[in-house]
Amino acid sequence: MRFEPGRVILHRHFHGHRIGLLKTAVVAADDEQGLLLWVPRGAPMLDRLAVDRRGLRAMPFSEWIETETKLWEVTWSGPSLLKWLPRGEDHSVWFFRDDAGRFTKWYVNLEESGTRWDDGRVAGVDIVDQDLDIVVAPDLSWRWKDEEEFAERLAYPQHYWVADGEAVRAEGERVVKLIEAGAFPFDGTWCDFQPDPAWAVPAEVPAGWDRPRARP
């Protein structure tokens, strides 16, 4: 399954069987290497928060698993974002920009390889976010991110959506070798990417966003 450039799709992050985060995105490219997504500023999103609007990272995980949550309608408030989802690999790479559109950093999101789905009027890709991440500066210096949260949640295997913490870190270490070598996609590719001016996302998340999680 491949998506046509310019198509609006839903990038859904799951916490087990529940949506934790949903971004509305535009397909920039899709080929045998993977899927490139553009998330413009203001794109409609859904974010799972407590009913008092506190997020997962605002409380201990032991509290989160006992807290009533819901999906809140929000928008992507940061500068427009490019996401690369390599086919069959357990991570994605996000290209962050400043308000002037200049590249500022890469962000390696460790996640289960995405599963695509297409229901006709609405389509998307589903991933399970594995929480441990890597932040990469333009000079290729890097650091782990969210290590403490990752370790904390692994202590609750009956509730946490990550089953194998060692495998997640191993995937991160594999990507670090690419970073340190300056290999694709850390070789400058797409750092000056410009979207098609005709691309647009709807004002609201399209109907059909709540379909069951797609499985490999």
Side-chain angles (χ1 to χ4, degrees):
M1 181 188 301
R2 292 191 185 176
F3 300 128
E4 289 295 319
R7 186 174 186 184
V8 173
I9 70 167
L10 306 180
H11 186 207
R12 304 193 303 173
H13 297 223
F14 276 80
H15 297 166
H17 67 280
R18 300 195 308 177
I19 296 174
L21 182 70
L22 179 155
K23 289 190 180 80
T24 305
V26 181
V27 176
D30 191 12
D31 55 28
E32 64 280 356
Q33 290 184 300
L35 178 63
L36 190 65
L37 298 178
W38 179 252
V39 182
R41 187 194 293 270
M45 298 172 51
L46 298 175
D47 193 6
R48 183 167 298 281
L49 305 171
V51 293
D52 62 5
R53 296 194 77 113
R54 288 182 300 154
L56 171 59
R57 299 176 65 185
M59 65 184 80
F61 192 63
S62 58
E63 181 180 348
W64 176 261
I65 60 182
E66 301 292 338
T67 297
E68 181 182 356
T69 64
K70 60 175 281 189
L71 287 169
W72 293 82
E73 295 181 9
V74 295
T75 59
W76 176 248
S77 59
S80 298
L81 175 68
L82 192 67
K83 290 187 174 187
W84 167 242
L85 283 68
R87 191 178 292 271
E89 298 187 17
D90 292 328
H91 71 275
S92 62
V93 181
W94 305 2
F95 295 68
F96 278 87
R97 302 170 175 226
D98 62 18
D99 287 331
R102 295 170 298 211
F103 171 75
T104 58
K105 65 184 175 183
W106 295 277
Y107 186 98
V108 180
N109 199 66
L110 296 171
E111 60 193 44
E112 290 185 16
S113 177
T115 302
R116 301 166 185 229
W117 52 272
D118 190 341
D119 293 339
R121 294 184 63 184
V122 63
V125 58
D126 293 352
I127 63 99
V128 175
D129 197 325
Q130 297 174 319
D131 297 328
L132 185 64
D133 304 307
I134 305 169
V135 179
V136 188
D139 65 1
L140 300 181
S141 59
W142 61 273
R143 61 179 175 85
W144 293 106
K145 183 177 180 293
D146 301 332
E147 287 184 284
E148 292 183 2
E149 290 94 334
F150 184 60
E152 175 197 21
R153 295 167 195 172
L154 285 170
Y156 296 86
Q158 69 274 32
H159 297 287
Y160 193 31
W161 43 91
V162 175
D164 190 342
E166 291 184 1
V168 174
R169 187 171 286 274
E171 174 71 1
E173 290 170 347
R174 187 182 72 82
V175 178
V176 164
K177 293 179 181 178
L178 299 177
I179 296 166
E180 293 179 339
F184 175 83
F186 306 101
D187 59 353
T189 300
W190 298 321
C191 288
D192 57 355
F193 176 86
Q194 294 297 320
D196 186 324
W199 289 348
V201 293
E204 298 179 346
V205 174
W209 62 266
D210 54 350
R211 58 105 71 196
R213 175 184 160 193
R215 302 284 180 170

